[in-house]
Amino acid sequence: MQVPRSSSIWACMMVLLSVVELVVPAALLHLPNSSWQPATATWYGAPEGDGSDGGACGYGSLVDVKPFRARVGAVSPVLFQGGIGCGACYKVKCLDKRVCSRRAVTVIVTDECPGGYCSGGRTHFDLSGAAFGRMAVAGLGSNLRDRGVLPVIFRRTACKYPGKNIAFHVNEGSTNYWLSLLVEFEDGDGEVGEMHIKQAGSNQWVPMQHVWGASWCINGGPLQGPFSVKLTTRSTGRTLSARDVIPSNWSPQATYTSRLNFY
């Protein structure tokens, strides 16, 4: 399911946000649900392809290039969780020794599959053809894809983007009164639980609202850059603050890379 980045405008409610200081929960040592659990999996797109373009998380063309390329996964609503699950990483493994290798494939949540095998509260992964085939014994990728719906096991795993720092894409339609940011390349949890922003000349962190997918927004204004952004991860409550990462002369559809990441 693909949602254009510009569609986030309608979802950001025009409300007055209270100004609060972020209270950081104590970080946990491990990601939750890190033990193997049962699920099912299918694949989509070209047999050796990287999956669909874009997706409901809003990553756009990022899914076509490394580090996302061939690691794309659409998940059922129980894992997508209205977009909060975007960016989370999972290891997925099949167990039929006749065609499955011992290797698990690591996939990044970039999309949602809301119907079919993904409905009814099921835990399901709809993987790119390339990711699905990587679970097979060498040379048997096509045999595995011919199986159709495949029983698998899965578990959470830390996201790793070597050489990448967290980046913020300014969504189309952003103005000095409505600013929407999409988070990219978050190591560790991979998913954002809270997001706060601080304007130029201010000491106060203002909470942003989750819009859809991996996008967050703030209403008000006129908003004054440069902006600092603080992330709190959803699973372990770790925080990271990128100072003045969005410049005063920012522009819609531009991406601004921080100097930081969790690893």
Side-chain angles (χ1 to χ4, degrees):
M1 175 183 175
Q2 183 168 352
V3 180
R5 289 177 172 179
S6 59
S7 69
S8 57
I9 281 183
W10 63 267
C12 191
M13 299 170 59
M14 298 299 291
V15 298
L16 179 63
L17 296 178
S18 59
V19 178
V20 298
E21 286 296 323
L22 176 62
V23 178
V24 181
L28 303 178
L29 294 177
H30 303 286
L31 288 170
N33 302 323
S34 58
S35 59
W36 291 103
Q37 302 175 63
T40 52
T42 49
W43 62 277
Y44 66 105
E48 300 290 345
D50 302 323
S52 64
D53 294 335
C57 289
Y59 295 125
S61 59
L62 284 180
V63 302
D64 299 323
V65 296
K66 291 183 177 180
F68 284 89
R69 187 177 183 182
R71 301 172 68 195
V72 170
V75 293
S76 55
V78 295
L79 295 179
F80 190 74
Q81 299 182 59
I84 293 295
C86 286
C89 296
Y90 292 90
K91 287 188 178 294
V92 183
K93 182 192 297 187
C94 59
L95 301 177
D96 187 340
K97 295 181 181 180
R98 295 170 297 178
V99 67
C100 299
S101 71
R102 297 180 180 179
R103 180 179 62 250
V105 62
T106 300
V107 296
I108 306 163
V109 175
T110 63
D111 204 354
E112 179 183 30
C113 54
Y117 295 110
C118 294
S119 62
R122 299 183 184 92
T123 303
H124 186 83
F125 292 83
D126 197 16
L127 307 179
S128 68
F132 195 90
R134 285 184 181 180
M135 294 188 291
V137 172
L140 297 182
S142 60
N143 299 67
L144 185 62
R145 284 187 290 268
D146 287 343
R147 295 293 183 90
V149 183
L150 188 70
V152 296
I153 55 175
F154 76 99
R155 65 176 176 86
R156 281 292 300 275
T157 190
C159 296
K160 298 179 181 179
Y161 298 106
K164 293 283 188 180
N165 287 330
I166 290 176
F168 301 92
H169 178 86
V170 180
N171 285 319
E172 182 179 356
S174 290
T175 70
N176 290 332
Y177 292 85
W178 180 86
L179 177 63
S180 176
L181 303 177
L182 179 137
V183 184
E184 302 172 351
F185 307 126
E186 182 195 327
D187 274 348
D189 290 9
E191 52 188 7
V192 178
E194 295 179 11
M195 192 159 158
H196 288 67
I197 195 166
K198 183 165 63 176
Q199 299 186 60
S202 174
N203 293 320
Q204 296 177 312
W205 289 104
V206 180
M208 301 185 76
Q209 293 176 297
H210 179 242
V211 187
W212 59 272
S215 292
W216 297 69
C217 77
I218 182 174
N219 287 293
L223 302 170
Q224 301 293 329
F227 300 101
S228 299
V229 182
K230 180 185 289 187
L231 300 181
T232 302
T233 67
R234 181 169 182 256
S235 297
T236 62
R238 299 178 67 193
T239 61
L240 176 151
S241 299
R243 181 178 179 182
D244 296 340
V245 66
I246 311 294
S248 57
N249 61 341
W250 62 270
S251 59
Q253 301 190 66
T255 300
Y256 301 99
T257 302
S258 74
R259 299 179 180 180
L260 306 168
N261 214 324
F262 287 103
Y263 282 173

